[in-house]
Amino acid sequence: MLVVSQILGGLGVAIGIALAPMLATEVTGSEALSGLAPTASVAGTALLSLPLAALMTSRGRRPGLVLAYLIGALGGALVVLGTMVRSFPLLLLGMAAFGAGSSANLQARFAAADLIGPERRGRAISTVIWATTIGSVVGPNIAAPAGRVFRGTTPVPESAGPYLWSAAAFLLAGVVVAVLLRPDPLLTARALTPQIPQGERKRSLRAGVAAVRESPMAKLALVAVTVSHTAMVSIMVMTPVHLGGHGADLQLIGLVISGHIAGMYAFSPVMGWLADRFGRLSVIGLAVGLLSTAALLAGTAGPRHGQTALGLFVLGLGWSAGMIAGSALLTDSVPQEARAAVQGLSDLTMNAAAGIGGASAGVIVAQWGYGPLNAIGAALLLPVAALALRRSMKPSAAGA
């Protein structure tokens, strides 16, 4: 059921990601503000991470995922309304709520790990992430046809019409989870661990911070997930604007974003197997190498759309490696009673950082260009490389 909901949720998110920067430019008339629309979505994902984690901790995975999909559907409707009335604040509010769909997709990876041992945890996480491939690859390519449905027949602008399709996809994903995700994986995992008293299940942000502080491996995992996501989002959100500036049409932009999303999700089972077989640290190192290579390819592509597409594909691979290995290592490194709090902290941190990166990306591109943006994204990876190297040299990290 997680796989089915991920397909639907991925479809909804991908349609919106493909169009958000261009929609913001259309409403405001300013390229410098284009990065704020996807950034609002990332910020919404971040802000909802802890409330959803708290809800899941007290009520289970199912209520949290359903609520997230419902908020995402409402966000899609608000984006359309904001475009119709040419209100940028309303558009940003809609994009923030739209980010709940991403939050649901991200939380589902931890739901996959609730009942899985460490030896198979990477593959379990990667299976649910992989399921997003179908919807995420199809989404950007149907954005243009989905918009044309509204051409000249309704007051809904063609450019915003796809967000109504996103809202419908989120609603359907919520129905699937509400009706069919039974038994609840988190509640079942708790029932199988009766030695943890109810009062000792740590739910707060403070508990998550304390658990991470006590574990060097958890610190590394949190940094790896945060930096991988931030570097990916910062580069990805400005790529449609960069391509459009070099003459690419919406169809070509959709193909490039589809290739990027295929890199993010289609090869995730390979990354999960590698993380289980060769260790989390090895795959985190692989993520650093792939993301650096992607920044080099995309940042030096200029008008060569094929090179930009290759760079975005490799960027997706690097994100997949960092997200899967980092998420598995984070879950491995903290006690079960603190996992939900730590997982909420992880999503909050990575999406808050990515929100700042996305907001800065538009300004960086407007002032200096797309190449310097990629160089800055590559520089963010240096702390991850340093921490991973340091931990790999510790005897206790041998089995990580």
Side-chain angles (χ1 to χ4, degrees):
M1 290 307 98
L2 288 171
V3 166
V4 174
S5 69
Q6 285 292 92
I7 293 172
L8 295 168
L11 177 63
V13 171
I15 291 175
I17 286 177
L19 297 177
M22 301 179 71
L23 200 60
T25 302
E26 177 184 325
V27 171
T28 65
S30 171
E31 184 178 290
L33 297 176
S34 61
L36 291 181
T39 298
S41 179
V42 174
T45 304
L47 291 173
L48 286 165
S49 297
L50 285 180
L52 288 174
L55 177 60
M56 291 179 189
T57 301
S58 60
R59 302 283 299 278
R61 298 289 185 190
R62 186 170 59 250
L65 293 175
V66 170
L67 178 61
Y69 282 128
L70 291 177
I71 295 173
L74 175 62
L78 289 176
V79 168
V80 175
L81 180 60
T83 306
M84 291 173 63
V85 300
R86 287 294 189 266
S87 171
F88 191 51
L90 185 58
L91 173 67
L92 293 181
L93 177 62
M95 288 304 303
F98 187 84
S102 294
S103 187
N105 287 351
L106 290 170
Q107 288 286 337
R109 78 190 192 278
F110 290 125
D114 284 334
L115 294 169
I116 300 294
E119 71 282 355
R120 293 179 56 239
R121 189 166 286 145
R123 279 168 284 181
I125 292 172
S126 68
T127 298
V128 170
I129 291 178
W130 170 86
T132 314
T133 307
I134 299 173
S136 295
V137 172
V138 172
N141 288 295
I142 67 171
R148 285 196 293 269
V149 171
F150 300 93
R151 180 184 295 174
T153 60
T154 70
V156 176
E158 180 180 345
S159 57
Y163 281 89
L164 292 181
W165 292 95
S166 292
F170 288 152
L171 287 174
L172 187 55
V175 170
V176 168
V177 171
V179 175
L180 300 176
L181 187 62
R182 299 174 186 274
D184 190 287
L186 181 57
L187 298 182
T188 303
R190 284 185 185 162
L192 296 174
T193 315
Q195 68 270 22
I196 301 176
Q198 178 69 26
E200 295 184 13
R201 290 174 183 147
K202 303 174 182 178
R203 306 179 184 181
S204 68
L205 174 62
R206 182 177 298 178
V209 172
V212 171
R213 185 182 296 137
E214 293 170 4
S215 171
M217 281 298 185
K219 293 177 186 175
L220 169 59
L222 185 61
V223 172
V225 168
T226 299
V227 172
S228 297
H229 193 59
T230 302
M232 184 277 291
V233 169
S234 300
I235 294 171
M236 182 271 294
V237 297
M238 294 311 300
T239 300
V241 176
H242 166 73
L243 289 169
H246 287 286
D249 59 15
L250 184 58
Q251 183 175 3
L252 178 57
I253 292 171
L255 288 172
V256 172
I257 297 300
S258 290
H260 166 67
I261 295 174
M264 290 174 65
Y265 300 121
F267 295 89
S268 56
V270 176
M271 301 301 178
W273 178 82
L274 290 173
D276 288 340
R277 176 66 178 82
F278 297 103
R280 321 303 194 210
L281 292 180
S282 298
V283 181
I284 289 174
L286 175 62
V288 171
L290 288 170
L291 290 168
S292 300
T293 301
L296 177 63
L297 287 169
T300 60
R304 295 181 292 275
H305 298 325
Q307 184 174 329
T308 301
L310 178 60
L312 266 288
F313 174 73
V314 177
L315 186 72
L317 289 178
W319 177 89
S320 179
M323 182 62 63
I324 291 169
S327 298
L329 181 60
L330 187 69
T331 305
D332 294 342
S333 303
V334 296
Q336 187 186 61
E337 64 269 22
R339 281 179 186 167
V342 170
Q343 290 162 353
L345 173 65
S346 171
D347 282 357
L348 169 65
T349 303
M350 76 176 195
N351 284 295
I356 294 171
S360 304
V363 177
I364 292 170
V365 170
Q367 294 294 323
W368 298 296
Y370 185 68
L373 173 65
N374 281 269
I376 293 171
L380 293 176
L381 300 166
L382 293 176
V384 180
L387 284 172
L389 181 61
R390 180 181 178 185
R391 296 308 309 170
S392 66
M393 297 175 67
K394 300 281 185 180
S396 60

